[in-house]
Amino acid sequence: MIRLTKLNRSSFVLNCELIETVESTPDTVISTINCKKYVVLESVDEVIDKVIQYKGNIIKIKEIST
């Protein structure tokens, strides 16, 4: 799960496993595999960084538990 910010500055958490595309239009629009769209304040690169950090944390947890 990654924390993102809507245009009205409220934050929400998105299951990044559901992300299908992230595009800049110029707002950042995230489309999910279940056809929902989210417009966020974070840039495309920031969203990518959050996903990478999340995935890295999952890998670390799996390494610790084995």
Side-chain angles (χ1 to χ4, degrees):
M1 306 283 275
I2 58 173
R3 185 173 304 279
L4 298 166
T5 311
K6 295 179 184 179
L7 295 182
N8 67 3
R9 304 236 183 254
S10 64
S11 67
F12 70 104
V13 179
L14 177 66
N15 180 347
C16 64
E17 302 294 336
L18 299 178
I19 294 175
E20 183 173 23
T21 63
V22 181
E23 56 189 304
S24 180
T25 65
D27 292 325
T28 304
V29 179
I30 300 171
S31 300
T32 64
I33 59 174
N34 55 354
C35 300
K36 292 189 178 184
K37 291 192 183 288
Y38 298 93
V39 181
V40 298
L41 290 176
E42 290 80 4
S43 69
V44 170
D45 289 337
E46 289 173 309
V47 174
I48 292 168
D49 289 344
K50 287 176 181 273
V51 171
I52 290 169
Q53 182 178 4
Y54 167 79
K55 297 277 189 173
N57 288 339
I58 296 299
I59 291 169
K60 286 179 190 174
I61 290 170
K62 286 183 178 180
E63 288 174 352
I64 290 171
S65 65
T66 57

